[in-house]
Amino acid sequence: MDTKGSPPTHTISLPEQIITFELSSYEWSQNLLCIALMDKLVLGSVRFPEENDNESFEWNQLKEIHHKSRPHSVAFAPETSLAVVPKKVIIASAGSDYKIHIFQSDLDQNDTVQLLEGHRSYVNHVSWDPDGEFLASCSDDNSCILWKCKEDYAQGPSFFFGSAVVSAKWHPEESGHLLIAEKCGVVHLYKVHLKTSMLSVETDTNPLSYVDWNLSNSAYVVAMARGNVFFWDLKNSSWPIENKPLHDECGHIVKFSPHSEHVVASIGKPNATLKVIHMKNKLPQIEAKLLLYGGLCWHYQLPYVVAASDRALCFWKVLI
């Protein structure tokens, strides 16, 4: 593993390239990892020195799930829990076959898979409603489809746009409020039960690749467009409060730290460079060149940022 710059605090080595991954963002499954390889999902759990009496980092692979097509995005359902008996794991994945795959497992012998069909092109992102009512999927077919989780994933409301839809993020506090990001640079805030757009904001460049809410201050929104990071305070203005160039070329992703309203992590070109920036002092806390881009996550509770680098999953402890 040849990351350059800030060395990772911990690493997990995989036998092949990591396409994408997800670290669960829910309390009862916060150490559960889903790592997507070319034709399978690897499920496992991590424990950090802060959680272990022996102060060691531990990775425990729990299960492999065959995936019929190359996965593009994975997400844990909010009801996923390792604290119940039997264990309950529900994962949505977006495949190169234009379908949504819903995997359910008790991490023993009981596994099921359900395919959701409705998109006509690549599915870029899947995102669960924190209330467990909807699963949102975004596609290059210019649509965002909501699937009704409590009605056997029947197709629900759909939203159509003028360009590819690259990501969707549910509001962390307001039920049914959904950010939908278009590749052309427009971010829409929808109240999905009424199927109405509450507001739209725009970047002054494109392509836009990702949008995220701030968990510490849910009025704050961040988006990555080309190599720039745009910040909005939706309570005060539809104009960005900041437009900061972070990457020389195209950026892949940007995510707020769940522990601070001022810290973001991003990955972008040249190459695949991870940056963790405190937006108040503008100083990079972490900067590392990755071998290949394969996703970005923050830990739900502990101050770790996680990024894939080819066949390695790397964890950096961030001082916040």
Side-chain angles (χ1 to χ4, degrees):
M1 197 277 300
D2 295 324
T3 56
K4 297 179 180 179
S6 306
T9 313
H10 311 291
T11 60
I12 297 171
S13 296
L14 278 296
E16 56 186 273
Q17 180 190 344
I18 299 169
I19 307 301
T20 188
F21 74 96
E22 180 78 1
L23 182 59
S24 177
S25 58
Y26 303 104
E27 181 178 2
W28 300 111
S29 56
Q30 61 184 276
N31 283 1
L32 194 60
L33 264 170
C34 178
I35 304 172
L37 306 181
M38 188 64 69
D39 60 357
K40 62 186 172 184
L41 304 180
V42 177
L43 292 179
S45 63
V46 289
R47 286 187 64 83
F48 295 85
E50 295 87 341
E51 302 172 303
N52 274 338
D53 292 337
N54 60 7
E55 297 185 349
S56 64
F57 176 81
E58 297 177 359
W59 157 248
N60 179 29
Q61 183 169 320
L62 301 172
K63 197 175 192 66
E64 288 188 1
I65 300 173
H66 177 67
H67 203 286
K68 290 185 177 180
S69 60
R70 174 181 165 133
H72 292 158
S73 175
V74 292
F76 286 104
E79 59 263 45
T80 294
S81 176
L82 301 182
V84 297
V85 179
K87 295 179 175 63
K88 187 174 186 179
V89 177
I90 304 176
I91 300 167
S93 71
S96 58
D97 54 4
Y98 307 170
K99 299 174 184 177
I100 312 300
H101 303 237
I102 306 294
F103 296 98
Q104 299 194 42
S105 175
D106 63 0
L107 299 181
D108 191 12
Q109 300 299 318
N110 297 313
D111 302 325
T112 64
V113 60
Q114 182 176 352
L115 298 181
L116 310 182
E117 300 184 42
H119 287 294
R120 303 183 310 278
S121 188
Y122 286 104
V123 181
N124 297 309
H125 190 226
V126 287
S127 178
W128 296 89
D129 169 12
D131 294 332
E133 185 175 358
F134 294 112
L135 170 69
S137 59
C138 306
S139 171
D140 279 352
D141 65 10
N142 298 2
S143 75
C144 176
I145 296 177
L146 303 187
W147 308 88
K148 299 178 181 180
C149 303
K150 298 177 182 178
E151 298 180 25
D152 198 31
Y153 300 101
Q155 187 169 327
S158 299
F159 304 94
F160 299 93
F161 303 94
S163 68
V165 184
V166 292
S167 71
K169 295 289 288 190
W170 295 92
H171 196 288
E173 297 170 354
E174 296 289 340
S175 178
H177 289 202
L178 179 66
L179 282 178
I180 302 175
E182 288 190 73
K183 189 175 183 178
C184 68
V186 182
V187 180
H188 309 268
L189 173 56
Y190 272 86
K191 195 166 187 177
V192 299
H193 295 97
L194 300 178
K195 300 182 183 179
T196 56
S197 175
M198 301 172 65
L199 62 87
S200 296
V201 296
E202 295 186 39
T203 63
D204 60 6
T205 187
N206 61 74
L208 189 154
S209 55
Y210 202 82
V211 66
D212 195 28
W213 290 106
N214 189 303
L215 296 183
S216 302
N217 183 342
S218 58
Y220 284 4
V221 170
V222 64
M224 173 69 76
R226 199 171 288 275
N228 288 24
V229 173
F230 293 80
F231 295 85
W232 293 271
D233 181 350
L234 298 184
K235 286 186 177 179
N236 294 317
S237 174
S238 61
W239 292 98
I241 57 176
E242 188 153 8
N243 172 0
K244 179 178 176 60
L246 279 189
H247 300 278
D248 294 339
E249 301 174 35
C250 186
H252 296 294
I253 192 170
V254 62
K255 288 189 175 184
F256 274 116
S257 164
H259 317 295
S260 170
E261 63 186 55
H262 303 300
V263 176
V264 298
S266 67
I267 298 176
K269 297 180 179 180
N271 302 314
T273 302
L274 166 70
K275 293 185 179 182
V276 177
I277 300 286
H278 193 291
M279 296 310 300
K280 286 294 186 181
N281 57 31
K282 307 295 192 296
L283 297 176
Q285 295 180 259
I286 291 172
E287 185 166 340
K289 291 185 178 180
L290 312 173
L291 294 179
L292 290 169
Y293 171 68
L296 173 72
C297 281
W298 288 90
H299 190 276
Y300 167 80
Q301 192 172 45
L302 299 174
Y304 284 93
V305 66
V306 191
S309 178
D310 194 11
R311 300 183 180 190
L313 198 61
C314 306
F315 300 74
W316 286 263
K317 190 169 185 178
V318 182
L319 299 177
I320 296 176

